[in-house]
Amino acid sequence: MLAFEGKRCLHSRGLKAALFLSLLLALGHFCVYCLWFLQGKQGGPLSAEFQELIKQGNDAGYIYPATLYEGFIGGEGYTFFNQLYFYLIPIIAVLPFGASFFQDEKSGYLKQIYIKKTKGAYLNSKYLVTFLSGGTAALSAYVFSFALNALYVPAINPTQVALHTNVIDIMSMSEWYYTKPYLYFGVYGAAIFLCGGFLATLALCISFIGKNTMFVLSFPFIVYTALDYVSLQTDIPIYSLRSIINPMDGYTKLNVPISHVFLMLIGCCVATTFFFGLIGRLREKII
Amino acid sequence: MINLKRFFIVLFIELFIIALMVLYGLRVAYVNRNNDKTEVQYVYDSVPAETQNFEITIDEEKLYDTAAFVKKFPNIQKCFTYQGSIYEQMKDTTYLPSIKYILYLDVTFKNITNETQDVDLINYSLFVNDSYHNGINPILLEELNQLSGLSLLPGHSYTVSYAFELSQENIDRERYQNLLRQRFSLMLTGYPNIQHLVLTHITPVEANKDDVAFYQELISSKGVIQTDLPNTKNGTILKIGESYVDNNITLQVDDVSIEHKNIPALIKKIGLDKNVRKGEISDFEKEYIYKNGNAVIRENYYKDAKVVVVHCVIKNDTDAPHSIYLYPYLRNYIGINAVEPTYCHVENLKYKKHGTDYTLDAHSQGSITYLYVIGEFKGKYAKPDFRWDIENKPLYLGFSEMDPGEINLEKEILYGYGKFLRIK
């Protein structure tokens, strides 16, 4: 059943659409950051100026080349692409397989499945494939951008004194950011994956009461944005999924340890697992 | 046949993908070819460190409790006084108390080249491990050293005192509680030869109870400086003849003159050769001031410099001795262009080494004569707002410790910062 659902997901138009959207984001960021902002030069538009300063024997510490870890969609704050990407994550995550349960039920396909396979096997595999596809889709722009921008920007460690970033010592994992940035962004990559998986499975959960595909696909986005709004109004950053999974959101890094981020995301995933599994097994049809 | 065709198509696609991956790898390797230039070289403080122009030695490394630091260097008390500060204006009662430690360094620079070199004093950042760095507070630098710029002749050396404020708001809590176990380093040079001087002999200096009590009052929102005379407030432009008041001491300007020739004779005339800091005037100052009999400082636009001599009378009419920080900048008619005093000559005022506070005994009077060397910018820097035109336009003394930002003294536009006294 798992292999079957996996195959369905891989061949789905939703997955292709999600990957295409991610690629567009990565390409857009590449063009704006590498070609326009850095002008294709290692070090960026300042390179000519600071090359001159270096020739004069100037030891100004703030001179430092652009680094890939501050130059891909997950790590930089110069362009709007970072914010755009994190706003679009709930849409990208649900596209591959988020509405598949709803469509199976609506088309009557579900009845046929339940004749041949147990409910448990179907629901488990559906959940797992949706979770994995949602996480992968959410992470894809992050990975594409990193890989693409590596063609122009060197992977050197960031430095505090260059003032390219807003990561400071009191923020969660700041030491890793400056010494092992691949680990720092790897951890956030895992958080983005979990978040994408959760959002995709949230679409599964709402499928029980959804009336059309558009509602099912947009529900995670509504929840995601609503949590953002609640966080803003209550000034409690951990409610904003968008902020806690963004490596460059300074405010949440100050107030939310990374362990809390993972606890919250895992809690959300467990909640959707429980909800989907229980309701899926018990219900005949709610509406 | 079809199978063969399909085989070759698949083979071609696979080879193409492999070629793309190889090209990708080569390109990434090419982009990363200079990564070694960003590696940090660590040198240790047990031996002098060398940069392109200087040999740098650390003579003293102390981690002070801030209360102990303020006690040791009373002239910097104003930097840690809440009342009248920018923190009071912003109603920020947390930042000053958060600075619990000060790292104090005595750094000796020696010019190892054959040419006079400028020391970029504020270029040396402090690092705590890799994730915290702190630049130099220019106000503390000026107050500890009585200078804001430094040039060294070949072979000459000079010791500069640095004080880095370490606030618990900016450093991870666990690391802050174990500061002495962290790796402190001073960044000597930047990219592409990044060199950090690791400080391995830092000794702690703790404050005693009295120091702590005094300091707590200093930084509290209630303030501590009790004055019989109200201090001149921030955001004030005093008129000609009015008095500047600080800490019960009044300053009045009683003479302003403009000279433009024969500086050595001038210095003798005003007694500058009897300056209390005699013997501390370094060779570079003599060269710059006495060259060709004119005041020639730095680039050519000072060739036609004029000298403004400001004679001030300082009075303490109270029953106790008081100290006053006096390092006024001369500002042009707009207030944007400013020069620091090149020399000052004091009479009847006590002056401490490493201090810029002058102490006046009870019911006594003293004087300070400031000498400012100014020149008009030329070329692309000759903007109207930066002109002095000292023969025709007003001049001001600026007593602010913070940069006043955008101001226009001619139109009396001040954004709450700075204290200015018109002298002409």
Side-chain angles (χ1 to χ4, degrees):
Chain A
M1 193 71 224
L2 189 62
F4 177 72
E5 288 293 312
K7 241 183 183 175
R8 282 181 71 197
C9 178
L10 280 174
H11 289 110
S12 69
R13 281 186 295 180
L15 181 65
K16 293 180 180 95
L19 291 176
F20 180 69
L21 191 55
S22 300
L23 195 60
L24 269 184
L25 275 174
L27 271 173
H29 182 265
F30 173 80
C31 292
V32 169
Y33 187 78
C34 294
L35 301 182
W36 177 70
F37 183 68
L38 294 188
Q39 295 170 16
K41 292 175 192 162
Q42 195 170 325
L46 295 176
S47 62
E49 186 187 325
F50 77 62
Q51 291 294 342
E52 196 51 47
L53 287 171
I54 289 168
K55 270 186 209 166
Q56 291 168 11
N58 192 309
D59 289 330
Y62 56 84
I63 296 172
Y64 200 76
T67 157
L68 178 60
Y69 299 106
E70 293 166 349
F72 79 111
I73 206 168
E76 66 91 0
Y78 294 106
T79 70
F80 65 91
F81 278 92
N82 175 273
Q83 295 297 313
L84 181 64
Y85 166 56
F86 284 99
Y87 268 114
L88 290 179
I89 275 181
I91 294 171
I92 297 171
V94 301
L95 279 176
F97 223 44
S100 63
F101 179 79
F102 177 80
Q103 285 165 346
D104 286 351
E105 197 173 50
K106 192 176 170 189
S107 64
Y109 180 70
L110 197 60
K111 288 179 194 167
Q112 294 178 30
I113 293 281
Y114 283 163
I115 293 168
K116 295 174 187 174
K117 300 283 177 187
T118 61
K119 260 191 191 177
Y122 171 77
L123 292 171
N124 290 345
S125 50
K126 178 66 75 182
Y127 183 90
L128 194 58
V129 171
T130 306
F131 178 84
L132 290 173
S133 64
T136 306
L139 196 57
S140 52
Y142 194 81
V143 172
F144 288 160
S145 178
F146 191 88
L148 208 50
N149 290 21
L151 292 170
Y152 270 94
V153 199
I156 51 180
N157 288 355
T159 180
Q160 259 264 320
V161 77
L163 300 175
H164 289 169
T165 178
N166 60 358
V167 176
I168 58 177
D169 191 68
I170 52 172
M171 290 181 181
S172 193
M173 298 197 301
S174 57
E175 273 287 322
W176 272 8
Y177 181 83
Y178 290 103
T179 55
K180 301 179 180 76
Y182 48 88
L183 281 180
Y184 179 90
F185 287 103
V187 167
Y188 276 101
I192 291 168
F193 183 89
L194 277 177
C195 184
F198 157 68
L199 291 167
T201 53
L202 194 59
L204 286 184
C205 295
I206 205 63
S207 299
F208 298 125
I209 58 168
K211 294 226 170 160
N212 58 61
T213 311
M214 192 52 69
F215 174 76
V216 170
L217 286 175
S218 56
F219 181 77
F221 179 76
I222 293 168
V223 169
Y224 188 78
T225 313
L227 285 175
D228 212 24
Y229 180 77
V230 166
S231 159
L232 198 67
Q233 294 299 316
T234 58
D235 202 25
I236 304 175
I238 198 160
Y239 289 145
S240 171
L241 280 176
R242 184 184 62 79
S243 299
I244 61 173
I245 61 171
N246 186 345
M248 287 295 111
D249 188 289
Y251 183 67
T252 52
K253 302 300 155 288
L254 283 173
N255 299 292
V256 183
I258 194 68
S259 53
H260 291 191
V261 171
F262 276 91
L263 273 172
M264 180 173 163
L265 290 172
I266 291 168
C268 292
C269 294
V270 166
T272 54
T273 310
F274 182 76
F275 185 85
F276 181 70
L278 186 67
I279 303 296
R281 280 170 175 79
L282 293 178
R283 75 191 272 277
E284 289 301 324
K285 192 170 173 61
I286 292 172
I287 298 169
Chain B
M1 201 61 187
I2 294 170
N3 281 343
L4 201 63
K5 190 179 171 185
R6 194 175 168 184
F7 169 76
F8 278 115
I9 289 171
V10 170
L11 181 66
F12 176 76
I13 290 170
E14 284 176 358
L15 285 174
F16 182 71
I17 290 170
I18 291 169
L20 269 183
M21 285 169 65
V22 168
L23 283 172
Y24 180 85
L26 286 173
R27 171 67 188 178
V28 170
Y30 173 76
V31 164
N32 288 279
R33 68 193 184 286
N34 290 324
N35 284 9
D36 55 334
K37 286 184 184 172
T38 61
E39 281 174 20
V40 177
Q41 278 181 308
Y42 290 101
V43 294
Y44 291 85
D45 55 359
S46 41
V47 292
E50 270 192 27
T51 64
Q52 199 174 357
N53 301 323
F54 301 104
E55 184 184 88
I56 298 172
T57 318
I58 309 288
D59 301 324
E60 198 172 324
E61 302 168 23
K62 287 198 170 129
L63 186 69
Y64 282 90
D65 285 349
T66 310
F69 185 75
V70 169
K71 170 73 177 182
K72 169 95 177 168
F73 302 104
N75 52 299
I76 53 91
Q77 277 177 16
K78 289 195 180 187
C79 297
F80 295 92
T81 303
Y82 180 81
Q83 198 185 58
S85 71
I86 192 170
Y87 306 108
E88 187 185 28
Q89 288 178 12
M90 288 161 41
K91 294 187 174 31
D92 181 355
T93 55
T94 61
Y95 186 69
L96 275 181
S98 74
I99 306 172
K100 295 195 182 305
Y101 298 102
I102 306 272
L103 181 71
Y104 175 84
L105 302 174
D106 272 339
V107 183
T108 299
F109 295 92
K110 183 178 178 183
N111 184 350
I112 56 174
T113 70
N114 295 324
E115 294 173 356
T116 303
Q117 298 290 345
D118 292 343
V119 180
D120 190 352
L121 291 170
I122 59 171
N123 192 33
Y124 300 93
S125 298
L126 177 75
F127 273 78
V128 179
N129 302 321
D130 291 296
S131 52
Y132 174 80
H133 102 284
N134 194 2
I136 291 163
N137 183 332
I139 296 166
L140 279 183
L141 179 74
E142 279 183 32
E143 301 216 25
L144 285 174
N145 299 283
Q146 292 186 62
L147 56 78
S148 58
L150 178 67
S151 292
L152 291 175
L153 291 170
H156 283 241
S157 60
Y158 196 88
T159 301
V160 179
S161 298
Y162 285 107
F164 295 94
E165 298 163 327
L166 300 170
S167 165
Q168 65 181 13
E169 288 188 0
N170 298 329
I171 298 177
D172 175 80
R173 186 165 47 179
E174 263 184 58
R175 290 195 268 275
Y176 199 79
Q177 285 167 358
N178 296 290
L179 261 184
L180 281 170
R181 289 188 196 159
Q182 310 307 316
R183 187 189 68 216
F184 283 85
S185 59
L186 200 63
M187 191 182 78
L188 302 181
T189 53
Y191 181 85
N193 300 305
I194 305 173
Q195 197 177 168
H196 283 211
L197 178 59
V198 182
L199 307 171
T200 58
H201 299 97
I202 300 175
T203 51
V205 178
E206 290 178 7
N208 60 38
K209 280 183 187 172
D210 293 335
D211 298 342
V212 171
F214 173 72
Y215 178 64
Q216 288 300 323
E217 229 180 309
L218 205 64
I219 60 172
S220 76
S221 55
K222 292 171 194 163
V224 69
I225 300 171
Q226 299 299 320
T227 58
D228 298 322
L229 295 172
N231 291 343
T232 303
K233 287 183 184 169
N234 260 324
T236 303
I237 305 173
L238 297 164
K239 297 184 176 46
I240 293 176
E242 287 187 334
S243 300
Y244 168 74
V245 182
D246 190 62
N247 198 22
N248 286 310
I249 291 182
T250 60
L251 176 146
Q252 273 188 315
V253 173
D254 74 344
D255 186 54
V256 177
S257 61
I258 298 167
E259 315 281 344
H260 52 85
K261 278 198 252 196
N262 207 355
I263 304 302
L266 169 69
I267 286 170
K268 198 169 180 182
K269 176 185 161 189
I270 61 175
L272 208 56
D273 54 341
K274 299 189 189 72
N275 191 299
V276 294
R277 289 164 61 204
K278 187 179 178 181
E280 293 180 25
I281 301 172
S282 68
D283 290 340
F284 87 90
E285 285 175 314
K286 283 183 193 161
E287 181 190 66
Y288 279 131
I289 273 293
Y290 297 127
K291 190 171 177 180
N292 298 328
N294 291 317
V296 178
I297 295 184
R298 301 190 190 274
E299 286 78 13
N300 288 334
Y301 52 71
Y302 273 118
K303 255 189 196 158
D304 304 318
K306 295 190 171 84
V307 174
V308 177
V309 183
V310 182
H311 185 257
C312 306
V313 174
I314 321 285
K315 286 184 194 171
N316 176 5
D317 291 328
T318 67
D319 297 330
H322 288 289
S323 295
I324 185 169
Y325 164 78
L326 279 177
Y327 198 69
Y329 275 56
L330 187 71
R331 289 191 175 260
N332 72 340
Y333 69 104
I334 296 278
I336 290 174
N337 203 354
V339 292
E340 57 181 324
T342 309
Y343 282 110
C344 65
H345 171 69
V346 300
E347 281 177 10
N348 277 355
L349 297 175
K350 290 174 191 167
Y351 166 83
K352 293 179 190 175
K353 193 181 176 191
H354 286 305
T356 47
D357 265 29
Y358 298 95
T359 304
L360 201 56
D361 289 332
H363 296 289
S364 67
Q365 180 173 306
S367 72
I368 298 185
T369 303
Y370 292 106
L371 187 147
Y372 299 92
V373 180
I374 56 179
E376 299 286 8
F377 286 116
K378 292 185 174 53
K380 64 178 179 178
Y381 299 109
K383 294 180 183 172
D385 287 354
F386 282 83
R387 283 192 61 77
W388 288 93
D389 196 7
I390 57 174
E391 307 286 358
N392 304 312
K393 294 279 193 183
L395 288 173
Y396 296 84
L397 288 182
F399 296 95
S400 48
E401 292 150 23
M402 309 284 291
D403 183 355
E406 285 186 30
I407 58 171
N408 189 323
L409 296 178
E410 198 176 37
K411 293 180 185 172
E412 295 188 3
I413 296 173
L414 265 183
Y415 292 100
Y417 304 136
K419 305 168 197 177
F420 299 92
L421 168 62
R422 184 170 170 176
I423 60 172
K424 176 190 165 291

